[in-house]
């Protein structure tokens, strides 16, 4: 982030996502959710074609998670990199993914893949409403059953 263009992009993004007020604070003075926003922004500003996110929301409460899901969608819409998201949270995978691959613990490979309509695809801004949609409930149930079978 040291080139002139990247610094300008970073400054503009900090303003856009309301993070400038935290710049002069120490990490211990900032919430976990805000720190994670900085981490996500930094990952997206790297301009990598593929971004790997390993359990990025695992230590956050549900409100912070949902705020960061929306934040991640906003970041993704700008450059649309491929994101590989590793998660054990079915809900998270459904809200953030276009495709979900189930990696079986028993078989040690991908055993099933699901195509998913995301918040962006449906122009849906209300996560609670998205969770009520039949396709969402069907895929959630299917993945839940796969997990149950795989872990027993």
């Amino acid at each position: 982030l040291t080139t002139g263009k990247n610094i300008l992009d970073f400054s503009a993004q900090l303003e856009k996502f309301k993070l400038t007020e935290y710049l002069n604070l120490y990490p211990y003075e900032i919430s976990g959710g805000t720190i994670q926003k900085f981490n996500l922004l930094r990952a997206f500003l790297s301009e990598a074609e593929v971004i790997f996110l390993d359990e990025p929301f695992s230590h956050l409460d549900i409100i912070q998670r949902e705020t960061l899901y929306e934040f991640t969608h906003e970041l993704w819409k700008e450059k649309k990199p491929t994101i590989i998201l590793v998660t054990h949270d079915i809900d998270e995978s459904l809200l953030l993914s276009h495709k979900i691959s189930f990696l079986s613990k028993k078989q040690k490979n991908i055993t099933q893949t699901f195509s998913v309509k995301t918040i962006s695809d449906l122009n849906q801004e209300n996560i609670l409403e998205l969770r009520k949609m039949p396709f969402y409930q069907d895929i959630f149930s299917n993945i839940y059953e796969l997990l149950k079978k795989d872990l027993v």
Side-chain angles (χ1 to χ4, degrees):
L1 295 174
T2 56
T3 66
K5 179 184 179 291
N6 284 338
I7 289 172
L8 293 175
D9 288 349
F10 187 63
S11 296
Q13 295 297 335
L14 287 171
E15 283 185 38
K16 179 179 179 179
F17 293 108
K18 299 173 180 64
L19 291 170
T20 52
E21 67 187 90
Y22 302 101
L23 285 178
N24 294 320
L25 299 176
Y26 290 100
Y28 69 85
E29 297 176 301
I30 302 173
S31 73
T34 301
I35 289 170
Q36 196 58 18
K37 271 188 177 182
F38 276 105
N39 291 336
L40 288 165
L41 181 58
R42 189 175 61 234
F44 279 87
L45 288 176
S46 72
E47 298 191 16
E49 291 180 29
V50 178
I51 297 173
F52 186 79
L53 300 176
D54 187 7
E55 301 278 355
F57 313 107
S58 62
H59 300 315
L60 303 172
D61 64 59
I62 192 165
I63 302 303
Q64 286 180 318
R65 281 181 190 199
E66 289 181 357
T67 300
L68 284 176
Y69 297 161
E70 292 164 6
F71 181 77
T72 303
H73 270 288
E74 286 300 311
L75 288 171
W76 177 81
K77 281 193 261 183
E78 287 191 22
K79 298 195 174 146
K80 298 190 177 170
T82 297
I83 299 172
I84 298 172
L85 171 68
V86 175
T87 183
H88 292 88
D89 187 316
I90 300 170
D91 198 41
E92 189 169 287
S93 65
L94 285 167
L95 292 170
L96 291 173
S97 304
H98 287 100
K99 189 183 289 185
I100 299 169
S101 295
F102 181 79
L103 181 60
S104 169
K105 183 177 181 178
K106 286 181 180 175
Q107 296 178 18
K108 299 188 182 357
N109 64 5
I110 294 173
T111 58
Q112 195 158 352
T113 300
F114 301 88
S115 291
V116 183
K117 294 177 184 171
T118 67
I119 296 168
S120 298
D121 297 330
L122 299 168
N123 292 321
Q124 184 68 40
E125 294 188 20
N126 186 328
I127 290 174
L128 288 174
E129 291 303 312
L130 183 65
R131 285 182 178 121
K132 293 177 188 174
M133 294 182 174
F135 82 89
Y136 184 96
Q137 294 172 5
D138 290 344
I139 294 175
F140 188 100
S141 297
N142 287 335
I143 294 172
Y144 181 84
E145 289 304 318
L146 278 172
L147 274 172
K148 231 166 98 172
K149 288 177 189 171
D150 197 58
L151 295 174
V152 176

